[in-house]
Amino acid sequence: LNNLAFLLKEMGDYRAALPLLRRAVAIRREASGVRHMEYAAGLNHLGLLLKDVGDHKAALPTLEAAAALYKELLGEKHPDHATALNNIGLVHHAAGRHALALDMYMRPLALQKEASGEAHPSYATGLNNLALLYKDTGDHKSALPLFRQAAAIYKERLGEHHPLHANCLNNLGLLHQAMGGHAEALGLYRRALALRKEALGERHPDYATSLDNLGLLHQQMGDHKAALPLYKKAL
């Protein structure tokens, strides 16, 4: 059930994945109890999926329960606990609670740096999330070096064609677009689009997002003829 839910999520069918993941978590709770690593992992996955479908009210306590279990079972400085805290930050960020998100991003970033070092993909994810928050609050100067550092880590550790590297390039494009750097954004969007097409295929939500971002950039640049087919394909 868990693996099928993950597959459906990767295919973009979040609504079909959700009841399967809920059932898997319930089975783990019954079989292993509420103080087990598998149950903690199940809560973490479920909370992230709830965030992805926009149910922030349900996602937050689910992820907080996962973080509490990781802290109890593994210790406060364990990378899994840091990741769980970061995921709580994602919910606050998505809900517009920027001050709470900043706190939840900074705490696990320090833990990830201590536990795994500054060259680990988990640390890059923390940098990427913090940079997105800075971008969304208008602090472009703080966001730019964080995005660049995260992209470099992903490229070195996971390879240039990994979806996480493509995601970071897309985010860097968003930042340049917000700063008025249309030429820089255009190159980053095109590269992210090509990487997502190669890694995820043309029917994945992230590929559609890249098409939409590229269309919006062309529109802002006054190239409506280029924007229209991108919007249609994304839709």
Side-chain angles (χ1 to χ4, degrees):
L1 288 170
N2 183 78
N3 293 344
L4 181 56
F6 268 61
L7 178 61
L8 289 166
K9 181 182 177 182
E10 287 298 308
M11 295 168 66
D13 194 350
Y14 294 176
R15 293 293 178 181
L18 190 55
L20 297 177
L21 201 50
R22 279 180 168 146
R23 179 62 182 146
V25 170
I27 292 172
R28 282 175 165 166
R29 177 173 181 168
E30 182 180 348
S32 305
V34 296
R35 296 184 69 258
H36 195 280
M37 281 295 301
E38 286 193 2
Y39 180 62
L43 288 174
N44 187 63
H45 297 320
L46 179 59
L48 286 174
L49 186 56
L50 287 165
K51 177 195 73 71
D52 289 341
V53 299
D55 191 351
H56 302 149
K57 187 176 180 180
L60 187 58
T62 305
L63 289 170
E64 287 175 340
L69 274 175
Y70 281 131
K71 182 178 180 179
E72 179 184 352
L73 297 173
L74 300 173
E76 186 176 6
K77 296 185 178 182
H78 194 277
D80 287 349
H81 177 244
T83 298
L85 293 176
N86 184 79
N87 292 341
I88 295 171
L90 291 174
V91 177
H92 287 307
H93 189 170
R97 297 185 288 266
H98 292 154
L100 289 172
L102 181 60
D103 179 56
M104 296 308 301
Y105 284 159
M106 295 297 287
R107 288 169 57 195
L109 191 63
L111 292 174
Q112 287 161 342
K113 181 178 179 179
E114 181 180 350
S116 306
E118 295 186 50
H120 196 277
S122 295
Y123 185 70
T125 298
L127 292 173
N128 178 75
N129 293 339
L130 183 58
L132 278 173
L133 180 63
Y134 283 137
K135 179 193 76 68
D136 291 345
T137 55
D139 190 354
H140 300 156
K141 185 178 180 180
S142 296
L144 185 59
L146 298 179
F147 276 138
R148 286 174 172 168
Q149 185 181 355
I153 295 170
Y154 283 139
K155 184 177 180 180
E156 180 181 350
R157 297 298 300 271
L158 301 177
E160 184 177 5
H161 299 274
H162 196 279
L164 287 175
H165 180 243
N167 182 60
C168 201
L169 292 180
N170 178 77
N171 293 340
L172 191 53
L174 289 170
L175 178 63
H176 279 291
Q177 184 177 358
M179 295 167 63
H182 291 162
E184 293 89 346
L186 186 62
L188 289 162
Y189 281 157
R190 285 174 171 168
R191 183 58 182 152
L193 182 70
L195 291 174
R196 282 173 163 173
K197 180 179 179 180
E198 179 183 346
L200 304 171
E202 294 187 52
R203 295 177 57 82
H204 194 279
D206 288 350
Y207 182 71
T209 297
S210 278
L211 290 170
D212 188 61
N213 290 342
L214 190 55
L216 181 59
L217 180 62
H218 279 299
Q219 182 180 350
Q220 288 183 351
M221 295 170 67
D223 191 353
H224 299 159
K225 186 177 180 180
L228 186 59
L230 293 168
Y231 280 149
K232 286 182 175 179
K233 190 172 183 180
L235 185 63

